[in-house]
Amino acid sequence: MDGPRLSAAPLDPAAPLRGATVVVGVGGGIAAYKACELVRLLDKAGAKVWVTMTRRATKFVSPLTFQALSGRPVFTDLFSLTEEASIGHIQLADRADLVILAPASANLIARLAAGMADDAVTSVVLATKAPVLLAPSMNVNMWSHPLTQRNVQTLAALPHISIVGPGDGFLACRWVGPGRLADPADIVEAAASLRTPQDLRGRRLVVSAGPTQEALDPARYLGNRSSGKMGLALALAARRRGAQVSLVLGPTAQVPPPGVEVVNVTTALQMQAALAERVPGADAVIMAAAVADFRPRQVAPQKLKRSRLGGELTLELVSNPDLLAELGHARGDERRPLLVGFAAETEDVVRNAQEKLAKKRCDLVVGNDVSAPGIGFGADDNAVVIVGDGGVVATIAGSKLVVAHGILDQVVARLG
Ligand code: PMT
């Protein structure tokens, strides 16, 4: 078989599943109930979802459930006149932009590895030219059995088949170990990656995100309004585009995206140490974190008490290192890794961003106006102007994921 067919639906990197026709093939296993959540999440992501089920899968979850969740008829029988009349299974295979098998049971995997097309699910897989994503789920011993492993390797060797999971943990059969269906959100994320151009594959990126907190005493700290959303969007977008991503993350309530290495830090000095470990050998570093410029000279060992202070408190602050400038100045003339800084400004965004570009020896600086309503700190959206050596290279406005992809377009263009 030649490579997977290009998608019929237009690709939008910030919403890669929107408008895509996704066929979910449900195998017979207790994790079939989790495929309900998968269908719901795919539908929420804007995909047109069609469900096919093996006969055994219908013993675990009723086709009616999937019909209600997808809003479309469900395929369970190759020879059903009513099902085939709505849209034939070959038509469905042709129309698919992506096929996801979840749960892919040992039996389903074995039948596929043997090239069988003896039910609605396997027939769609054999007939489609679309990428196929396999999410295995089974008993730990069935998973580790040499026959299953051989079958999985046979399928994984095909250019259009990818595998997500299985996870490790408690299984419905009371065993503990690998065999859990990957989390539905992680399956959706793997699907999103399959529908995103892989122009950062083979690249390693370091992204910093969030605020830093500088302790005053055991109860208080100096911090800032960064939520981490901008940096997390960059990590997510880079991961989807195929990069290996290390995310150096200050304290945040946000959940980091799956598939990235997360290094949690609290202070600027901890962020400095984490960067020193991760940056060597990286292809690009993007500093979206809002790093504190100052920290208290001393951290009080006990909580500062108003009664003991006599009503007034004078804090003595010392400068934190400028992490971005350090990275910029440590680079040799080959200017690797590519260095992208941010500039959080309240006026003269372009001029200030250009000044930071030169002062911190960056390749790009992303300027944003953090005084404008609805963008910048804490917001879901941003509006940025990107400056490079030749001046303004791009202006982007939209969700932080849209902005992240716009920034990565500039990174990709410079990595060559
Ligand atoms: O996290 P969100 O709520 O999504 O908000 C996003 C954001 C507004 C924090 C983000 O878009 C942003 O602007 N990040 C940079 C914030 C900042 O610290 O800007 P700055 O202009 O003070 O610093 C310039 C650059 O130097 C930044 O890349 C910063 O990471 C870096 N820096 C700053 C101080 C310091 N001591 N060390 C540094 O490396």
Side-chain angles (χ1 to χ4, degrees):
M1 180 178 181
D2 49 2
R5 161 176 78 66
L6 282 178
S7 167
L11 286 173
D12 172 359
L17 292 166
R18 189 182 299 148
T21 298
V22 179
V23 178
V24 175
V26 185
I30 181 61
Y33 80 93
K34 290 191 189 167
C36 299
E37 173 70 355
L38 174 65
V39 169
R40 199 187 65 76
L41 292 177
L42 289 167
D43 180 68
K44 197 171 155 205
K48 293 178 226 153
V49 188
W50 292 82
V51 177
T52 65
M53 301 176 75
T54 65
R55 196 172 41 79
R56 289 179 184 196
T58 62
K59 305 276 180 208
F60 290 95
V61 182
S62 154
L64 193 62
T65 307
F66 286 111
Q67 184 171 309
L69 288 168
S70 67
R72 295 185 173 81
V74 172
F75 279 78
T76 56
D77 182 0
L78 271 185
F79 303 104
S80 157
L81 288 176
T82 46
E83 286 177 11
E84 285 287 312
S86 62
I87 170 176
H89 67 277
I90 296 292
Q91 245 179 305
L92 196 56
D94 282 346
R95 201 184 277 187
D97 293 307
L98 178 66
V99 175
I100 304 177
L101 302 184
S105 62
N107 184 279
L108 179 55
I109 288 172
R111 287 188 292 129
L112 283 172
M116 291 171 73
D118 56 348
D119 66 6
V121 176
T122 49
S123 298
V124 167
V125 174
L126 233 64
T128 193
K129 289 266 191 184
V132 176
L133 177 63
L134 221 77
S137 164
M138 64 198 72
N139 162 269
V140 59
N141 295 330
M142 289 170 96
W143 172 251
S144 57
H145 196 286
L147 288 173
T148 303
Q149 286 303 309
R150 187 198 62 189
N151 292 335
V152 169
Q153 276 160 26
T154 301
L155 294 173
L158 297 175
H160 71 304
I161 294 192
S162 327
I163 297 183
V164 53
D168 214 312
F170 282 99
L171 305 177
C173 53
R174 308 282 187 266
W175 281 79
V176 180
R180 279 170 71 89
L181 182 72
D183 196 66
D186 292 353
I187 300 175
V188 173
E189 190 46 42
S193 283
L194 283 174
R195 302 232 342 123
T196 303
Q198 297 295 287
D199 50 8
L200 283 171
R201 183 166 293 284
R203 301 292 190 180
R204 194 163 74 76
L205 264 63
V206 178
V207 177
S208 75
T212 63
Q213 294 178 352
E214 311 294 335
L216 281 169
D217 69 14
R220 306 179 180 93
Y221 59 81
L222 295 178
N224 62 65
R225 297 179 202 279
S226 169
S227 64
K229 288 179 185 173
M230 188 66 245
L232 260 58
L234 279 157
L236 173 66
R239 177 74 200 92
R240 278 189 184 165
R241 291 167 82 145
Q244 185 191 333
V245 180
S246 294
L247 176 66
V248 180
L249 183 60
T252 170
Q254 303 296 313
V255 180
V260 308
E261 182 205 19
V262 181
V263 187
N264 290 112
V265 297
T266 303
T267 66
L269 293 180
Q270 288 171 1
M271 189 169 277
Q272 182 188 39
L275 289 170
E277 264 188 38
R278 301 293 182 303
V279 168
D283 294 291
V285 179
I286 308 180
M287 287 289 293
V291 187
D293 279 319
F294 298 96
R295 66 179 185 277
R297 180 178 290 283
Q298 277 182 339
V299 182
Q302 308 298 336
K303 189 175 169 201
L304 296 165
K305 293 255 190 233
R306 179 202 289 264
S307 52
R308 281 200 222 121
L309 290 166
E312 249 185 43
L313 171 63
T314 304
L315 291 175
E316 196 182 346
L317 304 178
V318 292
S319 238
N320 267 331
D322 186 326
L323 312 185
L324 181 60
E326 279 184 356
L327 294 175
H329 289 281
R331 292 189 307 172
D333 285 340
E334 76 278 13
R335 289 177 82 97
R336 278 291 181 272
L338 193 93
L339 204 53
V340 182
F342 268 72
E345 305 298 340
T346 53
E347 56 185 342
D348 287 338
V349 176
V350 173
R351 191 172 55 79
N352 285 319
Q354 273 169 328
E355 265 178 35
K356 282 182 177 157
L357 182 84
K359 208 166 126 205
K360 305 193 185 210
R361 297 199 73 221
C362 296
D363 299 289
L364 295 167
V365 167
V366 181
N368 44 190
D369 183 347
V370 292
S371 65
I375 61 168
F377 286 115
D380 290 334
D381 295 336
N382 211 353
V384 304
V385 48
I386 307 180
V387 299
D389 275 341
V392 173
V393 296
T395 53
I396 314 156
S399 71
K400 283 184 174 166
L401 192 55
V402 166
V403 171
H405 276 292
I407 295 167
L408 292 178
D409 288 344
Q410 297 298 324
V411 169
V412 168
R414 279 158 186 78
L415 286 177

